[in-house]
Amino acid sequence: MSTQQTMQYAMRCHQRGRLAEAERLYRDVIRTEPQHCDALHLLGLIRIDQRDYQTGVRLIESAVAVNPRFAKAHFNLGVALTKLERYDDAVASFDHALRLTPEHVESWNARGNALIKAERVAEAKEAYDRALTLRPEHAGALLNRAAAFVRLEKLEEAQADLDRLLALDPNHVEAHIRRASLAAKRGDPLDAYQRLECETPDLSQSAEAWCVRGSALAQLRCYEEALEAYDRALELRSDYVDASAGRGGVLSMLRRFEEALLEYDRALRIDPDHVEALYNRGLALGELDRLEEALEYFERAVANKPRYLRGLANLVPVLARFRHFPQALECCDRALEIEPKHAQTLIWRADMLVKLRRFDDALAAYDTVLEVEPAGADSWFSLYLYLRKNICDWNGLDAMIARLRAGFTGPDPAPVAPLLLMSFDSTLEEKLNVARHFASTTPAPPSRKERPPEATFKPHERIRIAYISANFNRHPVAYTLAELMERHDRSKFDVIGISLGGDDRSDIRARIVSACTSFHDVNALSDEAAADLLRELEVDIAIDLMGHTEDSRRGMLALRCAPLQVNYLGFPGTSAEPYMDYLIADQYLIPSEHREGYTERLVRLPHSYMPIDTKWGASEHTPTRQSEGLPEQGFVFCAFTTHYKITPAVFDVWMRLLSQIESSVLWLQGANEVAERNLEAFAAERGVDPSRLIFAIRTPGIAEHLARHRLADLYLDTTPYNAHSTARDALWMGLPLLTIEGSSFASRVAGSILTAAGLPQLVAADLDAYESMALRLARDPQALADLKRHLAETRLAQPLFDMDLYRRHIEVAFTRMVERARRGEPPADFDIAALAQPPGD
């Protein structure tokens, strides 16, 4: 036969389904004429029908290379490329076909399908529009455009397309199913259920209809009936992956997570790349506190569908939980490429920038949040102000603080983080009201069929105390607490560590772990599981070292994980939480006239409430002034405080001191370039050479940081938020510290420390007295030398640095708490009397 006759016979075989014979004949033609366009094209179609898409694409690409104007081949190439998930290439092929045949309806429809799969939904809708302009009754384009409208959250338009399709074909099963599914999406699952019952012609034999029915029943919370519907769908089509995944979802709703995992596994055996099954399996693993496995499945879902908005967005909090902040930020950016105005993702992106301490970028991100959701301005205003204070951007600060104060004093107060109030003047009453409002937002304990009873006391030989913190790593809380934990009397106390944060493998982390009778990392556990653990450990006193600070686990404490729960050390104020029994303070920190500002029962120690770790020795090597960027001569004022504690009023005093003390400099904390630039600008505005502000370089460790205190002359405190651990460091290194007495917990800590160090004369009554005292000491070398000598000679004899005495006082406090509770008495205020030094001390 001639080539033409062979092709005609091969095409007849192809049309009649005799594909093996047709393929043999096409190959015969290609052996004779390697560039026979039709043979290459049709052989490619056979390979595509047999799901050998790679070979099919290669053959059709050869055909269009021979004849670039072969429109049908371009079309079929686009279809094959769509099957291979090469969506951009598929769109390009359809575009070739449409340039040759602009009115080819199927090319427009198929182009829309490729665009939908590429998550380019708006463009897909436009392609379907064009198809329906050319052929208004095209069923596939109507069905597909309705799906695009759903993705664009234009449900009315989707409804109109489905109604139009059903008017053309009242028996169109898929349209009935889609319309029922749409009713469920619009919040009317009952309507969806009734549509399937009344309008779907052959419901009993449609797996798709049973699947939608299951979804509708699940939304109606008819979970057992929903499972039956999914079971019926799977009976009709055992490999129906959507039904299997939907059944897993219902089991998750019933909190039968282990069974749900099995169902998702079945779905993934059918389709290992099924995005919803991967994602929902991750959610179920998360509910079972298997967060590392959950993370793996979320990442697989996103890998299989890189433009999966929901998967990308919800991967962020899981990554953040593991402190993978750069990866979480990357997920946010990828999600926002898909939907630039996705509000929750914008919020999470700003949060991640805060975690990464990119405060100026975070401010810009919150500006975007407020543009997208202006109604949420009050909710974000306090965080916006916090970021401004972190970078020392004080322009318009007074007006912003006034607006914030107006917001939380009304009948419906705006949410404000209690820690923010510490850094600007506010009354005890305001602080209490804000804390109460913030406490009211504590997440409700998760539902559970059989809730465990609240923790109760069990008979133990020793009192079991659990220190709870996310900061058992390189953090001031760990450096403050380590020696106390080591010194606890093991004949009377079991010391349990509950870590809410990651392991940085630091020396201080190792010390904390070694100091504990047992140590438990609950970072990957839910609040409920963590509370269960503390009950299993039969903890008597849960000591919360977090309060209303970052990474706290208020939900765990709200579940009453221990019979007694104590607010201590981590948060300088009242928690206002009803489940917190005691607050540990001291008699200077909370005088009787301030009692009404605190909801917990107060336990006041006789000296400073803050323990001091005396085992942290400074490096024996003292750096030179030159190595620290300080001038060789001149007075060095020091303030290694966090930038957000610095206020314009305090900074004004500092600048006046520099102006009056020739050749003096101000040594500040470094590592925040935006804050440094702003402080230098404000110094210049006040007539001070910005070069007189010296920003400390980062040291390898705490020993080196402590050693450089020897280069400073006088530590200047901040108000209304005092230096806390930094004040302790200064005094431990023999550096006199000057503070201002305030009216709140946060503004009285340095005064408490100085009083316990035997230096109450360094507590000024107000800013004017503070400035006068600083000026006098800077001009009186002998007076300053006397203070330094006093610290050197009496330091270890003062209560502040007597850690064994401190340990005995706080153990009396813990013992009295437990004794009261065991007698059936409620928590009550009490003071601890000063104990005598043991003989030989």
Side-chain angles (χ1 to χ4, degrees):
M1 289 189 292
S2 67
T3 298
Q4 183 178 359
Q5 290 172 323
T6 303
M7 278 296 299
Q8 290 173 345
Y9 183 56
M11 291 166 67
R12 285 198 298 272
C13 293
H14 194 162
Q15 290 167 353
R16 293 170 183 172
R18 291 155 54 188
L19 300 184
E21 190 173 358
E23 180 173 349
R24 178 180 59 78
L25 293 167
Y26 290 142
R27 290 190 182 280
D28 287 344
V29 171
I30 293 169
R31 272 192 293 274
T32 303
E33 296 185 30
Q35 292 190 316
H36 195 289
C37 186
D38 287 335
L40 289 166
H41 174 228
L42 293 171
L43 180 58
L45 290 183
I46 289 177
R47 302 312 305 156
I48 289 169
D49 287 341
Q50 294 172 344
R51 297 189 177 185
D52 182 2
Y53 300 120
Q54 296 283 7
T55 303
V57 164
R58 188 168 61 251
L59 288 163
I60 298 176
E61 284 177 336
S62 298
V64 296
V66 173
N67 180 8
R69 298 188 61 78
F70 192 174
K72 190 172 183 180
H74 282 295
F75 170 78
N76 286 324
L77 179 59
V79 172
L81 289 166
T82 301
K83 296 284 188 182
L84 286 172
E85 300 183 4
R86 290 170 55 185
Y87 302 125
D88 291 339
D89 292 338
V91 171
S93 290
F94 293 129
D95 287 343
H96 276 295
L98 288 165
R99 278 195 291 273
L100 297 165
T101 54
E103 297 186 357
H104 188 243
V105 174
E106 297 304 332
S107 289
W108 284 111
N109 186 50
R111 186 178 191 274
N113 293 342
L115 287 164
I116 274 275
K117 290 181 179 295
E119 302 287 341
R120 294 160 61 182
V121 183
E123 295 174 75
K125 182 262 180 190
E126 292 174 0
Y128 298 136
D129 287 346
R130 189 66 182 272
L132 290 166
T133 300
L134 293 166
R135 192 188 303 168
E137 73 283 1
H138 192 287
L142 282 168
L143 198 66
N144 292 333
R145 190 170 72 172
F149 277 131
V150 170
R151 296 281 294 277
L152 293 168
E153 299 185 0
K154 295 182 177 181
L155 303 188
E156 295 292 341
E157 290 89 338
Q159 178 80 45
D161 273 354
L162 292 172
D163 288 345
R164 183 171 156 191
L165 176 54
L166 287 168
L168 293 168
D169 181 2
N171 295 323
H172 197 294
V173 175
E174 182 67 17
H176 279 291
I177 292 170
R178 293 277 187 92
R179 194 168 68 167
S181 178
L182 181 60
K185 285 182 183 295
R186 296 175 68 183
D188 193 353
L190 182 60
D191 181 47
Y193 180 86
Q194 291 171 339
R195 284 181 185 276
L196 286 172
E197 287 288 317
C198 302
E199 297 181 13
T200 306
D202 54 353
L203 171 67
S204 62
Q205 296 305 309
S206 170
E208 292 83 356
W210 282 107
C211 190
V212 173
R213 180 177 178 176
S215 175
L217 287 164
Q219 289 187 61
L220 291 167
R221 299 187 180 182
C222 300
Y223 298 128
E224 295 301 332
E225 294 92 331
L227 288 175
E228 292 174 5
Y230 284 123
D231 287 341
R232 181 67 179 129
L234 289 164
E235 287 173 11
L236 292 166
R237 194 198 306 173
S238 61
D239 64 347
Y240 192 7
V241 66
D242 289 342
S244 188
R247 193 174 190 279
V250 173
L251 290 167
S252 288
M253 293 174 192
L254 290 167
R255 302 189 69 79
R256 291 157 58 181
F257 298 116
E258 294 288 356
E259 294 175 70
L261 290 179
L262 295 175
E263 198 63 59
Y264 293 132
D265 286 342
R266 174 160 73 160
L268 291 169
R269 282 195 295 274
I270 300 168
D271 180 1
D273 297 329
H274 193 277
V275 172
E276 292 293 332
L278 288 166
Y279 177 77
N280 290 328
R281 194 177 197 279
L283 292 178
L285 287 164
E287 292 286 349
L288 292 169
D289 304 317
R290 293 159 60 181
L291 287 184
E292 291 188 8
E293 294 173 77
L295 181 60
E296 174 191 343
Y297 277 87
F298 286 137
E299 289 177 334
R300 282 180 58 188
V302 171
N304 287 338
K305 189 176 182 181
R307 294 179 64 82
Y308 182 31
L309 177 60
R310 186 159 67 100
L312 281 166
N314 288 294
L315 182 54
V316 173
V318 181
L319 287 165
R321 183 73 179 272
F322 286 99
R323 308 187 74 80
H324 299 328
F325 302 133
Q327 297 93 320
L329 181 63
E330 180 187 352
C331 273
C332 291
D333 290 338
R334 287 168 58 192
L336 291 170
E337 287 176 6
I338 301 167
E339 178 50 71
K341 294 187 177 181
H342 192 262
Q344 183 58 69
T345 305
L346 286 167
I347 291 166
W348 275 331
R349 184 177 187 276
D351 290 346
M352 293 308 103
L353 288 166
V354 173
K355 300 282 190 185
L356 292 166
R357 302 189 67 77
R358 291 169 53 184
F359 297 123
D360 50 344
D361 292 334
L363 273 174
Y366 280 114
D367 282 337
T368 305
V369 172
L370 293 174
E371 289 172 11
V372 172
E373 283 199 330
D378 287 342
S379 299
W380 296 108
F381 187 74
S382 64
L383 184 52
Y384 192 84
L385 178 55
Y386 168 76
L387 291 171
R388 292 277 297 273
K389 287 182 66 61
N390 258 296
I391 61 173
C392 299
D393 182 352
W394 300 330
N395 293 308
L397 185 64
D398 289 343
M400 294 180 72
I401 291 174
R403 174 181 169 183
L404 187 74
R405 293 182 74 170
F408 61 65
T409 55
D412 184 21
V416 177
L419 195 64
L420 178 62
L421 264 67
M422 310 300 179
S423 63
F424 62 82
D425 288 322
S426 53
T427 67
L428 273 176
E429 182 181 8
E430 286 173 332
K431 289 181 173 68
L432 178 59
N433 289 340
V434 165
R436 279 179 168 151
H437 182 59
F438 193 82
S440 70
T441 66
T442 298
S447 59
R448 184 191 261 187
K449 287 183 179 179
E450 295 183 5
R451 292 206 52 74
E454 287 193 349
T456 56
F457 287 107
K458 302 296 192 298
H460 303 138
E461 181 181 349
R462 295 176 293 276
I463 295 173
R464 296 184 182 179
I465 55 176
Y467 288 103
I468 303 169
S469 180
N471 301 315
F472 290 142
N473 44 43
R474 293 186 186 92
H475 188 278
V477 166
Y479 290 122
T480 300
L481 200 65
E483 187 175 354
L484 172 63
M485 295 176 72
E486 291 168 339
R487 282 181 175 268
H488 273 305
D489 185 342
R490 300 316 164 101
S491 69
K492 298 177 181 177
F493 294 90
D494 283 327
V495 179
I496 299 169
I498 303 294
S499 175
L500 312 177
D503 181 359
D504 63 355
R505 304 187 184 280
S506 60
D507 291 344
I508 188 62
R509 171 83 170 196
R511 271 189 67 190
I512 293 285
V513 173
S514 297
C516 295
T517 309
S518 64
F519 187 88
H520 308 270
D521 189 336
V522 302
N523 185 38
L525 298 186
S526 66
D527 288 339
E528 192 168 28
D532 286 344
L533 173 64
L534 265 72
R535 292 190 195 97
E536 291 168 10
L537 294 170
E538 298 182 359
V539 169
D540 297 312
I541 307 176
I543 303 167
D544 179 33
L545 301 169
M546 301 300 296
H548 296 315
T549 61
E550 187 179 19
D551 298 326
S552 65
R553 296 285 290 275
R554 299 157 63 207
M556 180 180 76
L557 291 155
L559 290 163
R560 183 55 80 168
C561 56
L564 289 172
Q565 301 188 153
V566 176
N567 175 7
Y568 174 53
L569 198 61
F571 178 72
T574 183
S575 69
E577 300 282 12
Y579 50 77
M580 296 306 294
D581 301 303
Y582 288 102
L583 168 64
I584 294 179
D586 63 57
Q587 295 169 26
Y588 177 93
L589 200 63
I590 305 179
S592 299
E593 60 268 25
H594 296 168
R595 175 65 188 87
E596 296 306 313
Y598 304 84
T599 61
E600 301 92 339
R601 298 294 92 191
L602 299 183
V603 176
R604 300 192 304 177
L605 303 180
H607 309 298
S608 179
Y609 85 112
M610 182 180 281
I612 306 294
D613 190 329
T614 61
K615 293 184 179 180
W616 281 108
S619 170
E620 294 182 2
H621 170 71
T622 301
T624 65
R625 281 193 167 200
Q626 183 180 16
S627 69
E628 294 294 320
L630 297 168
E632 291 295 336
Q633 302 296 325
F635 195 92
V636 177
F637 293 106
C638 175
F640 291 146
T641 191
T642 310
H643 292 110
Y644 75 84
K645 292 184 181 182
I646 303 173
T647 65
V650 167
F651 193 74
D652 284 343
V653 172
W654 292 351
M655 294 304 98
R656 287 198 295 270
L657 290 171
L658 291 184
S659 297
Q660 296 176 77
I661 304 299
E662 187 178 352
S663 301
S664 62
V665 295
L666 177 61
W667 199 10
L668 298 168
Q669 185 188 71
N672 184 337
E673 292 183 5
V674 181
E676 292 172 20
R677 290 197 302 269
N678 286 331
L679 289 173
E680 287 173 342
F682 285 126
E685 288 178 11
R686 288 154 176 80
V688 174
D689 184 345
S691 67
R692 295 176 67 185
L693 273 56
I694 311 299
F695 296 97
I697 59 177
R698 185 179 294 276
T699 60
I702 189 172
E704 292 78 10
H705 172 65
L706 290 173
R708 67 181 172 189
H709 283 73
R710 301 182 186 120
L711 302 177
D713 295 300
L714 179 64
Y715 194 106
L716 297 175
D717 197 10
T718 49
T719 191
Y721 200 154
N722 284 175
H724 293 185
S725 59
T726 49
R728 167 208 65 198
D729 292 344
L731 295 178
W732 178 242
M733 292 307 301
L735 176 61
L737 174 138
L738 186 60
T739 191
I740 306 100
E741 181 175 271
S743 62
S744 69
F745 193 125
S747 65
R748 296 177 68 87
V749 170
S752 163
I753 291 172
L754 282 165
T755 301
L759 292 171
Q761 68 271 31
L762 293 182
V763 182
D766 53 36
L767 268 177
D768 289 340
Y770 166 87
E771 183 175 352
S772 297
M773 292 168 65
L775 195 59
R776 179 177 59 82
L777 288 171
R779 288 173 171 169
D780 188 345
Q782 186 58 51
L784 195 59
D786 289 343
L787 285 172
K788 290 186 175 182
R789 185 174 58 255
H790 172 82
L791 271 172
E793 292 175 354
T794 68
R795 182 183 61 172
L796 297 181
Q798 298 296 333
L800 181 67
F801 300 109
D802 190 336
M803 272 307 298
D804 196 62
L805 181 63
Y806 182 95
R807 185 268 308 169
R808 292 162 59 211
H809 284 143
I810 203 165
E811 288 182 352
V812 169
F814 291 152
T815 302
R816 192 174 299 180
M817 291 176 194
V818 171
E819 287 174 347
R820 286 187 59 85
R822 289 189 184 279
R823 292 195 300 265
E825 298 173 6
D829 291 355
F830 59 86
D831 290 348
I832 303 298
L835 298 173
Q837 288 284 93
D841 273 21

